[in-house]
Amino acid sequence: MTTTSSSAQSAASVTGGPGQVLTEPRSLKRAPIRGPLRRLLIMLIPTNLALLLVYGAVPGVLLPLQITAINPADKVANLAIVSTIGAFAAMVAQPIAGAISDRTRSRFGRRAPWMIFGALAGGLALVGMAMSNGLVQVAIAWAIAQIAFNFAQGPLSAVVPDRVPAAALGTFAAIGGMAAMIGAIGGQVVGAAFAKSIGSAYFLLAGLALVFFALFVVFNRDKSSKDVERQPFKLIDFLHTFWINPLVHPDFFWAFAGRLLLYTGYFSVIGYNLFLLEDYVHLGGKAVDYVPLLGILSLVGMVPAIIVSGLLSDKLGRRKIFVFASAVIVGVGLVIPIVMPTLTGMIIETIICGIGFGAYQSVDQALMNQVLPSKSSFAKDLGVVNIAATLPQTLAPAIGGAIVIAFGYVGIFPVGIILSVLGAFAVFFIRSVK
């Protein structure tokens, strides 16, 4: 694996052909966001929205409701089991999907075929969940959905470092992060709205994902990779690439660790909102009606923070201070429900954490793109990176369930605080990015 420094890369010229790399991704030369680059930015918004609608609606609302309907008495334990199975499926799938994408040779390019395959297979798995009425069926269908959508997400993530210059990464991260967060929160709204018709929600989410991934591929055509030289495949070398040596690539390691810690802390709480509202705040059956309210309030803090942080980090040329401050804000927000275990406390916590996580989501993605170990395997490396984002989101109900069983609902918040603060301090060990 070849190590490259962002400051050492020379700029390549921006080209206008469909699917072509628009500039050397790690170049520091400014490139205006226009033409194919602007179209790419615009189309990333609905595609990320569609994908994150799934991640917001299913593990946060639909899956808990479905599992509760199957067996209300054991809902916490059963949700933990199903979530764990799905999380490990996602953890394995995305880096493998990225590596396969990097090696794909077709006239449709490296990324497009897998995005379409993942969206189609994931949609069919959601349809399978709609038709499931037993715990085993739900677990299998959700695991397949996780694998499939990660085969779509891995190549989609690689498109940014494939085609976007370093000077624009903050802007792309800001817009992409905003779309992702709106999608995740919007998923909670969709899930709550379809609380009495879970099957219809699965069909809707499946259709949206397939449609927008197809539109992305059509309007941002990948150039043919048929003539790109393919390195000989060796299984041992392939498996070895998933171990990123922290001594050889310390910046990548610390960026990965920081994201993993903060995402785990944040989603262990936020991903458990439905049961917290039901049993910690004692809203009972009315809890599902307040899930979209918390989602909308989260956006009140999140959207401005995403925009301001991403654009400001590009202007100042700094990432670490934004990542650190935002992670600390998330930790502070998680203190509120401990001292105020009421609906008001949950609302205040949601807004504060929205500000912190929005700023973090925006700048952290730009930072990650600048510390990738190799410029020749973006999809594989980003597949490894995205484990730190997708794993906590899908595993959050399992983590939350284990904490609730051991310590009660109040135990979730201190764990979230500790992990968030540790994630904040991890970024200070990064040296190649300011």
Side-chain angles (χ1 to χ4, degrees), residues 87-106:
F88 278 104
M91 181 180 68
V92 173
Q94 191 165 108
I96 292 177
I100 293 174
S101 170
D102 285 333
R103 295 179 55 81
T104 296
R105 302 295 178 261
S106 76

Side-chain angles (χ1 to χ4, degrees), residues 176-189:
M178 180 172 64
M181 288 301 98
I182 292 175
I185 301 303
Q188 295 179 19
V189 176

Side-chain angles (χ1 to χ4, degrees), residues 47-124:
T47 310
N48 275 310
L49 276 171
L51 181 64
L52 269 297
L53 279 173
V54 175
Y55 291 144
V58 179
V61 181
L62 298 176
L63 187 60
L65 288 174
Q66 190 172 17
I67 287 176
T68 299
I70 293 173
N71 184 356
D74 297 321
K75 65 180 183 181
V76 173
N78 288 341
L79 181 60
I81 293 170
V82 174
S83 299
T84 300
I85 294 171
F88 278 104
M91 181 180 68
V92 173
Q94 191 165 108
I96 292 177
I100 293 174
S101 170
D102 285 333
R103 295 179 55 81
T104 296
R105 302 295 178 261
S106 76
R107 68 187 184 92
F108 300 107
R110 295 186 295 170
R111 317 300 183 195
W114 295 108
M115 284 190 272
I116 295 299
F117 165 78
L120 177 59
L124 291 175

Side-chain angles (χ1 to χ4, degrees), residues 25-31 164-171 314-315 319:
R26 300 186 183 198
S27 166
L28 296 181
K29 179 180 178 181
R30 280 215 168 265
V164 179
L169 285 176
T171 301
D314 273 353
K315 184 176 181 179
R319 313 291 191 200

Side-chain angles (χ1 to χ4, degrees), residues 2 16 89 136 157 162 181 190 221 232 309 323 325 333 368 373 404 411 427 433:
T2 304
V136 174
S157 299
D162 273 351
M181 288 301 98
V190 170
R221 288 184 293 138
S309 297
V323 173
M368 279 291 189
V404 169
V427 301
V433 180

